[in-house]
Coordinates of all heavy atoms in Angstrom, one line a residue:
M288 N -22.7 1.3 12.6 CA -21.2 1.0 12.7 C -20.9 1.1 14.2 O -21.3 1.9 15.0 CB -20.5 2.2 12.0 CG -19.0 2.0 12.1 SD -18.2 3.0 11.0 CE -17.9 4.5 12.0
T289 N -20.1 0.2 14.7 CA -19.8 0.1 16.1 C -18.5 0.7 16.3 O -17.5 0.9 15.5 CB -19.7 -1.4 16.5 OG1 -18.6 -2.0 15.9 CG2 -20.9 -2.2 16.5
E290 N -18.4 1.5 17.5 CA -17.2 2.3 17.8 C -16.1 1.3 18.3 O -16.4 0.3 19.0 CB -17.5 3.2 18.9 CG -18.6 4.2 18.5 CD -18.2 5.2 17.4 OE1 -16.8 5.5 17.4 OE2 -18.9 5.5 16.5
P291 N -14.9 1.5 17.8 CA -13.8 0.7 18.4 C -13.5 0.7 19.9 O -13.0 -0.1 20.5 CB -12.5 1.1 17.7 CG -12.9 2.4 17.1 CD -14.5 2.6 17.0
M292 N -13.8 1.9 20.5 CA -13.7 2.1 21.9 C -14.6 3.2 22.3 O -15.1 4.1 21.6 CB -12.3 2.3 22.4 CG -11.8 3.7 22.0 SD -10.1 4.0 22.7 CE -9.0 2.8 21.7
S293 N -15.0 3.0 23.7 CA -16.1 4.0 24.1 C -15.4 5.3 24.3 O -14.2 5.4 24.4 CB -16.7 3.5 25.5 OG -15.7 3.4 26.5
A294 N -16.3 6.3 24.7 CA -15.7 7.7 24.8 C -14.8 7.7 26.0 O -13.8 8.3 26.1 CB -16.8 8.7 24.9
S295 N -15.3 6.9 27.2 CA -14.4 6.9 28.4 C -13.1 6.3 28.2 O -12.1 6.7 28.8 CB -15.4 6.2 29.4 OG -14.7 6.0 30.7
T296 N -13.2 5.2 27.5 CA -11.9 4.5 27.2 C -10.9 5.4 26.4 O -9.7 5.3 26.7 CB -12.2 3.2 26.4 OG1 -13.3 2.4 27.2 CG2 -11.0 2.4 26.2
F297 N -11.4 6.1 25.3 CA -10.7 6.9 24.6 C -10.1 8.1 25.4 O -9.0 8.4 25.3 CB -11.5 7.5 23.5 CG -10.6 8.3 22.5 CD1 -9.7 7.9 21.7 CD2 -10.8 9.8 22.7 CE1 -8.9 8.8 20.9 CE2 -10.0 10.6 21.7 CZ -9.1 10.0 20.9
M298 N -10.9 8.6 26.4 CA -10.4 9.6 27.3 C -9.3 9.1 28.1 O -8.2 9.8 28.2 CB -11.6 10.1 28.1 CG -11.2 11.2 29.1 SD -12.5 11.7 30.1 CE -12.7 10.3 31.3
W299 N -9.3 8.0 28.6 CA -8.2 7.4 29.5 C -7.0 7.1 28.7 O -5.8 7.3 29.1 CB -8.8 6.2 30.3 CG -9.4 6.6 31.4 CD1 -10.9 6.6 31.7 CD2 -9.0 7.3 32.7 NE1 -11.3 7.1 32.9 CE2 -10.1 7.6 33.4 CE3 -7.7 7.6 33.1 CZ2 -9.9 8.0 34.7 CZ3 -7.6 8.2 34.4 CH2 -8.8 8.4 35.2
F300 N -7.3 6.6 27.4 CA -6.2 6.4 26.5 C -5.3 7.6 26.2 O -4.1 7.6 26.3 CB -6.7 5.6 25.2 CG -5.5 5.6 24.1 CD1 -4.6 4.7 24.2 CD2 -5.6 6.5 23.1 CE1 -3.8 4.4 23.1 CE2 -4.6 6.4 22.1 CZ -3.6 5.3 22.2
I301 N -6.1 8.7 26.0 CA -5.3 9.8 25.6 C -4.7 10.4 26.9 O -3.6 11.0 26.7 CB -6.5 10.9 25.2 CG1 -6.9 10.5 23.6 CG2 -5.7 12.3 24.9 CD1 -5.9 10.5 22.6
T302 N -5.3 10.4 28.1 CA -4.6 10.7 29.2 C -3.3 10.0 29.5 O -2.2 10.5 29.8 CB -5.7 10.4 30.3 OG1 -6.9 11.3 30.2 CG2 -5.1 10.9 31.7
F303 N -3.4 8.7 29.4 CA -2.2 7.9 29.6 C -1.2 8.1 28.6 O 0.0 8.2 28.8 CB -2.5 6.5 29.7 CG -3.2 6.0 31.1 CD1 -4.4 5.3 30.9 CD2 -2.7 6.4 32.1 CE1 -4.9 4.9 32.1 CE2 -3.2 6.1 33.4 CZ -4.4 5.3 33.4
A304 N -1.6 8.3 27.3 CA -0.6 8.7 26.3 C 0.1 9.9 26.5 O 1.3 10.0 26.5 CB -1.3 8.6 25.0
V305 N -0.8 11.1 26.7 CA -0.1 12.3 26.9 C 0.6 12.5 28.2 O 1.7 12.9 28.4 CB -1.3 13.4 26.8 CG1 -0.6 14.8 27.2 CG2 -1.7 13.5 25.4
G306 N -0.1 12.0 29.3 CA 0.6 12.1 30.7 C 1.9 11.2 30.7 O 2.7 11.7 31.4
G307 N 1.7 10.0 30.1 CA 2.7 9.1 30.2 C 4.1 9.6 29.5 O 5.2 9.5 30.0
V308 N 3.8 10.2 28.3 CA 4.9 10.6 27.4 C 5.5 11.8 28.2 O 6.7 12.1 28.3 CB 4.4 11.1 26.1 CG1 5.5 11.7 25.3 CG2 4.2 9.7 25.3
S309 N 4.7 12.7 28.8 CA 5.1 13.9 29.5 C 5.8 13.6 30.7 O 6.9 14.2 30.9 CB 3.9 14.7 29.8 OG 3.2 15.2 28.7
A310 N 5.4 12.7 31.3 CA 6.2 12.2 32.6 C 7.6 11.5 32.2 O 8.6 11.8 32.9 CB 5.4 11.0 33.3
L311 N 7.6 10.8 31.2 CA 8.9 10.2 30.9 C 9.7 11.4 30.3 O 11.0 11.3 30.6 CB 8.7 9.3 29.7 CG 8.0 7.8 30.1 CD1 7.8 7.1 28.9 CD2 9.0 7.2 31.1
W312 N 9.3 12.2 29.5 CA 10.0 13.4 29.1 C 10.6 14.4 30.3 O 11.7 14.6 30.2 CB 9.1 14.3 28.2 CG 9.8 15.4 27.5 CD1 11.0 16.1 27.7 CD2 9.2 16.0 26.3 NE1 11.1 17.0 26.7 CE2 10.1 16.9 25.9 CE3 8.0 15.8 25.5 CZ2 10.0 17.8 24.7 CZ3 7.8 16.6 24.4 CH2 8.7 17.5 24.0
F313 N 9.8 14.4 31.3 CA 10.2 15.2 32.5 C 11.3 14.4 33.2 O 12.3 15.1 33.5 CB 9.0 15.3 33.4 CG 9.4 15.9 34.8 CD1 9.4 17.4 34.8 CD2 9.6 15.2 35.9 CE1 9.7 17.9 36.1 CE2 10.0 15.7 37.0 CZ 10.0 17.2 37.1
I314 N 11.2 13.1 33.3 CA 12.2 12.5 34.1 C 13.5 12.4 33.3 O 14.6 12.7 33.9 CB 11.7 10.9 34.4 CG1 10.6 10.9 35.3 CG2 12.9 10.1 34.8 CD1 9.8 9.7 35.5
Y315 N 13.4 12.2 32.0 CA 14.6 12.2 31.1 C 15.4 13.4 31.1 O 16.5 13.6 31.3 CB 14.2 11.8 29.5 CG 15.3 11.7 28.6 CD1 16.2 10.7 28.6 CD2 15.4 12.8 27.8 CE1 17.3 10.8 27.7 CE2 16.5 12.8 26.8 CZ 17.5 11.8 26.8 OH 18.4 11.8 25.9
D316 N 14.7 14.5 30.9 CA 15.3 16.0 30.8 C 15.8 16.3 32.4 O 16.7 17.0 32.5 CB 14.4 16.9 30.3 CG 14.4 16.8 28.9 OD1 15.3 16.2 28.3 OD2 13.6 17.5 28.1
S317 N 15.0 15.9 33.3 CA 15.6 16.2 34.8 C 16.9 15.5 35.1 O 17.7 16.3 35.7 CB 14.5 15.6 35.8 OG 13.4 16.4 35.6
V318 N 17.0 14.2 34.6 CA 18.3 13.6 34.9 C 19.3 14.3 33.9 O 20.5 14.5 34.4 CB 18.2 12.1 34.4 CG1 19.5 11.3 34.3 CG2 17.2 11.4 35.4
N319 N 19.1 14.5 32.8 CA 20.2 15.2 31.9 C 20.4 16.6 32.4 O 21.6 17.0 32.4 CB 19.7 15.3 30.4 CG 19.7 13.9 29.8 OD1 20.5 13.1 30.1 ND2 19.0 13.8 28.8
L320 N 19.5 17.4 32.9 CA 19.7 18.6 33.5 C 20.5 18.5 34.7 O 21.5 19.3 34.8 CB 18.4 19.3 33.9 CG 18.6 20.8 34.4 CD1 19.2 21.7 33.5 CD2 17.2 21.3 34.9
S321 N 20.4 17.5 35.5 CA 21.2 17.5 36.7 C 22.7 17.1 36.3 O 23.5 17.6 37.1 CB 20.7 16.4 37.7 OG 20.8 15.0 37.2
R322 N 22.8 16.3 35.3 CA 24.2 16.0 34.8 C 24.9 17.3 34.2 O 26.0 17.6 34.4 CB 24.2 14.9 33.9 CG 23.8 13.6 34.4 CD 23.8 12.5 33.3 NE 23.3 11.2 34.0 CZ 22.8 10.2 33.2 NH1 22.7 10.3 32.0 NH2 22.4 9.1 33.8
A323 N 24.0 18.0 33.5 CA 24.5 19.3 32.8 C 25.1 20.3 33.8 O 25.8 21.1 33.5 CB 23.7 19.7 31.7
L324 N 24.3 20.4 34.9 CA 24.7 21.4 35.9 C 26.0 21.2 36.5 O 26.6 22.2 37.0 CB 23.5 21.4 37.1 CG 22.1 21.9 36.7 CD1 21.2 21.7 37.8 CD2 22.3 23.4 36.3
K325 N 26.6 19.9 36.4 CA 27.8 19.7 37.0 C 28.9 20.0 36.0 O 30.1 20.1 36.4 CB 27.9 18.2 37.4 CG 27.1 17.9 38.5 CD 27.0 16.3 38.6 CE 25.9 16.0 39.7 NZ 25.7 14.6 39.7
L326 N 28.6 20.2 34.8 CA 29.6 20.7 33.7 C 30.0 22.0 33.7 O 29.5 22.9 34.5 CB 29.1 20.3 32.4 CG 28.9 18.8 32.1 CD1 28.1 18.6 30.8 CD2 30.0 17.9 32.4
D327 N 31.1 22.5 33.0 CA 31.7 23.8 32.9 C 30.7 24.8 32.4 O 30.3 24.7 31.3 CB 33.0 23.7 32.1 CG 33.6 25.2 32.0 OD1 33.3 26.0 32.9 OD2 34.3 25.3 31.0
R328 N 30.3 25.7 33.2 CA 29.3 26.7 32.8 C 29.8 27.7 31.8 O 29.1 28.5 31.1 CB 28.7 27.5 34.1 CG 28.0 26.5 34.9 CD 27.6 27.2 36.3 NE 26.8 26.3 37.0 CZ 26.1 26.5 38.0 NH1 25.9 27.8 38.2 NH2 25.4 25.6 38.7
S329 N 31.1 27.9 31.6 CA 31.7 28.9 30.6 C 31.6 28.3 29.2 O 31.7 29.2 28.3 CB 33.1 29.2 31.0 OG 33.9 28.2 30.8
D330 N 31.3 27.1 29.1 CA 31.2 26.5 27.6 C 29.7 26.7 27.2 O 28.8 26.4 27.8 CB 31.4 24.9 27.8 CG 31.4 24.3 26.4 OD1 31.4 25.0 25.4 OD2 31.5 23.1 26.4
P331 N 29.7 27.3 26.0 CA 28.4 27.7 25.3 C 27.5 26.5 25.1 O 26.3 26.6 25.3 CB 28.7 28.5 24.1 CG 30.2 29.0 24.2 CD 30.8 28.0 25.1
T332 N 28.1 25.5 24.6 CA 27.3 24.2 24.4 C 26.7 23.6 25.7 O 25.5 23.2 25.6 CB 28.1 23.2 23.7 OG1 29.2 22.8 24.4 CG2 28.6 23.7 22.3
V333 N 27.5 23.8 26.8 CA 26.8 23.2 28.1 C 25.7 24.2 28.5 O 24.6 23.7 28.9 CB 27.9 23.3 29.1 CG1 27.4 23.1 30.5 CG2 28.9 22.1 28.7
R334 N 25.9 25.5 28.3 CA 24.8 26.4 28.5 C 23.5 26.2 27.7 O 22.5 26.2 28.1 CB 25.2 27.9 28.4 CG 26.1 28.3 29.5 CD 26.3 29.8 29.5 NE 26.5 30.4 28.3 CZ 27.9 30.8 27.9 NH1 28.9 30.6 28.6 NH2 28.1 31.4 26.7
D335 N 23.7 25.9 26.4 CA 22.6 25.6 25.4 C 22.0 24.3 25.9 O 20.7 24.2 25.9 CB 23.2 25.4 24.1 CG 23.5 26.7 23.4 OD1 23.1 27.7 24.0 OD2 24.2 26.7 22.5
R336 N 22.7 23.3 26.3 CA 22.1 22.0 26.9 C 21.3 22.2 28.0 O 20.3 21.7 28.1 CB 23.2 21.0 27.2 CG 23.6 20.2 25.9 CD 24.5 19.0 26.3 NE 25.8 19.4 26.0 CZ 26.9 18.8 26.6 NH1 26.7 17.9 27.6 NH2 28.1 19.2 26.2
R337 N 21.8 23.0 29.1 CA 21.0 23.3 30.2 C 19.7 24.0 29.9 O 18.7 23.7 30.5 CB 21.9 24.2 31.1 CG 23.1 23.4 31.9 CD 23.9 24.3 32.6 NE 23.2 25.1 33.6 CZ 23.6 26.2 34.2 NH1 24.7 26.7 33.7 NH2 22.9 26.9 35.0
F338 N 19.8 24.9 29.0 CA 18.6 25.7 28.7 C 17.5 24.7 27.9 O 16.4 24.6 28.3 CB 18.9 26.7 27.6 CG 17.6 27.5 27.1 CD1 17.0 28.3 28.0 CD2 17.1 27.2 25.9 CE1 15.8 29.0 27.6 CE2 16.0 27.9 25.4 CZ 15.4 28.8 26.3
G339 N 18.0 23.9 27.1 CA 17.2 22.9 26.4 C 16.6 21.9 27.4 O 15.3 21.5 27.3
Y340 N 17.3 21.5 28.2 CA 16.8 20.5 29.3 C 15.8 21.2 30.2 O 14.8 20.5 30.6 CB 17.9 19.7 30.1 CG 18.9 18.9 29.2 CD1 20.2 18.8 29.4 CD2 18.3 18.1 28.3 CE1 21.0 18.0 28.7 CE2 19.1 17.2 27.5 CZ 20.5 17.2 27.7 OH 21.3 16.4 27.1
A341 N 16.0 22.4 30.6 CA 15.1 23.2 31.4 C 13.9 23.3 30.5 O 12.7 23.3 31.3 CB 15.8 24.5 31.8
M342 N 13.8 23.6 29.3 CA 12.6 23.8 28.6 C 11.9 22.5 28.5 O 10.8 22.3 28.6 CB 12.9 24.2 27.2 CG 13.5 25.7 27.2 SD 12.2 26.8 27.8 CE 12.9 27.4 29.5
G343 N 12.7 21.3 28.4 CA 12.0 19.9 28.4 C 11.4 19.7 29.7 O 10.3 19.0 29.7
V344 N 12.1 20.0 30.8 CA 11.4 19.8 32.1 C 10.2 20.6 32.2 O 9.1 20.2 32.7 CB 12.4 20.3 33.3 CG1 11.7 20.3 34.6 CG2 13.5 19.2 33.4
L345 N 10.2 21.9 31.8 CA 8.9 22.7 31.7 C 7.8 22.2 30.8 O 6.6 22.1 31.3 CB 9.3 24.2 31.2 CG 8.2 25.2 31.2 CD1 7.6 25.5 32.5 CD2 8.7 26.4 30.5
M346 N 8.1 21.6 29.6 CA 7.2 21.1 28.8 C 6.5 19.9 29.4 O 5.3 19.5 29.4 CB 7.7 20.9 27.4 CG 7.8 22.2 26.6 SD 8.3 21.7 24.9 CE 10.0 21.6 25.2
G347 N 7.4 19.0 30.1 CA 6.9 17.8 30.7 C 6.0 18.1 31.8 O 5.0 17.5 32.0
T348 N 6.4 19.1 32.6 CA 5.4 19.5 33.6 C 4.0 20.0 33.2 O 3.0 19.7 33.7 CB 6.2 20.7 34.5 OG1 7.4 20.2 34.9 CG2 5.2 21.1 35.7
I349 N 4.1 20.9 32.1 CA 2.8 21.4 31.5 C 2.0 20.1 31.1 O 0.9 20.0 31.2 CB 3.2 22.3 30.4 CG1 3.8 23.6 31.1 CG2 1.9 22.6 29.6 CD1 4.3 24.5 30.1
G350 N 2.6 19.1 30.4 CA 1.8 18.0 30.0 C 1.2 17.2 31.1 O 0.1 16.8 30.9
V351 N 2.0 17.0 32.1 CA 1.4 16.1 33.3 C 0.4 17.1 33.9 O -0.7 16.4 34.3 CB 2.6 15.9 34.2 CG1 2.1 15.3 35.5 CG2 3.5 14.8 33.7
I352 N 0.5 18.3 34.2 CA -0.5 19.1 34.8 C -1.8 19.1 33.9 O -2.9 19.0 34.3 CB 0.1 20.5 35.1 CG1 1.0 20.3 36.3 CG2 -1.0 21.4 35.6 CD1 1.8 21.7 36.7
G353 N -1.6 19.3 32.7 CA -2.7 19.3 31.7 C -3.4 18.1 31.7 O -4.8 18.1 31.8
A354 N -2.8 16.9 31.8 CA -3.5 15.5 31.9 C -4.3 15.5 33.3 O -5.4 15.1 33.3 CB -2.5 14.3 31.8
L355 N -3.6 16.0 34.3 CA -4.3 15.9 35.6 C -5.5 17.0 35.6 O -6.5 16.6 36.2 CB -3.4 16.2 36.8 CG -2.4 15.2 37.1 CD1 -1.4 15.8 38.0 CD2 -3.0 14.0 37.5
K356 N -5.3 18.1 35.0 CA -6.5 19.2 35.0 C -7.6 18.5 34.1 O -8.8 18.9 34.4 CB -5.9 20.4 34.4 CG -5.3 21.2 35.5 CD -5.0 22.5 34.7 CE -5.3 23.6 35.6 NZ -6.0 24.6 35.9
F357 N -7.3 17.7 33.1 CA -8.4 17.2 32.3 C -9.3 16.2 33.0 O -10.5 16.3 32.8 CB -7.7 16.4 31.2 CG -8.6 15.7 30.2 CD1 -9.4 16.6 29.3 CD2 -8.7 14.5 30.2 CE1 -10.3 16.0 28.5 CE2 -9.7 13.9 29.3 CZ -10.4 14.7 28.3
H358 N -8.8 15.7 34.1 CA -9.6 14.8 35.0 C -10.0 15.5 36.3 O -10.6 14.8 37.1 CB -8.9 13.6 35.3 CG -8.8 12.6 34.1 ND1 -9.9 11.8 33.7 CD2 -7.9 12.4 33.3 CE1 -9.6 11.1 32.7 NE2 -8.3 11.4 32.4
G359 N -9.8 16.7 36.4 CA -10.1 17.5 37.5 C -9.5 17.2 38.9 O -10.0 17.6 39.9
V360 N -8.2 16.6 38.7 CA -7.5 16.3 39.9 C -6.8 17.5 40.4 O -6.7 17.7 41.6 CB -6.3 15.3 39.6 CG1 -5.3 15.0 40.7 CG2 -7.0 14.1 39.2
V361 N -6.4 18.4 39.5 CA -5.6 19.8 39.9 C -6.6 20.8 39.7 O -7.4 21.0 38.8 CB -4.4 20.0 39.0 CG1 -3.7 21.2 39.4 CG2 -3.4 18.8 39.3

């Protein structure tokens, strides 16, 4: 049985999939976080949004760093 893709190709596919989604997630939540920081901080829903976007930025960062560590860049 032939393999649909080589191990090296699969490694790069997974890297781009995880790293790409993580980078997009990081950018999306960074933009939303910067917008949420300008809103009224006394509103509980604004504080919840800020916390959620901050966690999204953190998770995006972890995903990008993980993809880079997988290839020994970091």
Side-chain angles (χ1 to χ4, degrees):
M288 179 168 96
T289 62
E290 298 294 326
M292 67 176 70
S293 68
S295 176
T296 305
F297 181 72
M298 180 181 71
W299 281 105
F300 170 75
I301 294 298
T302 299
F303 285 127
V305 171
V308 169
S309 297
L311 290 174
W312 192 335
F313 175 84
I314 292 167
Y315 177 77
D316 279 345
S317 294
V318 170
N319 285 332
L320 180 60
S321 68
R322 290 180 185 159
L324 288 173
K325 298 173 186 171
L326 300 175
D327 181 23
R328 294 180 183 196
S329 64
D330 185 5
T332 59
V333 171
R334 288 195 308 262
D335 285 347
R336 271 192 257 159
R337 287 175 53 207
F338 176 76
Y340 293 141
M342 290 298 108
V344 168
L345 178 67
M346 286 187 282
T348 303
I349 290 170
V351 169
I352 290 172
L355 292 174
K356 279 188 138 239
F357 181 69
H358 286 283
V360 177
V361 177

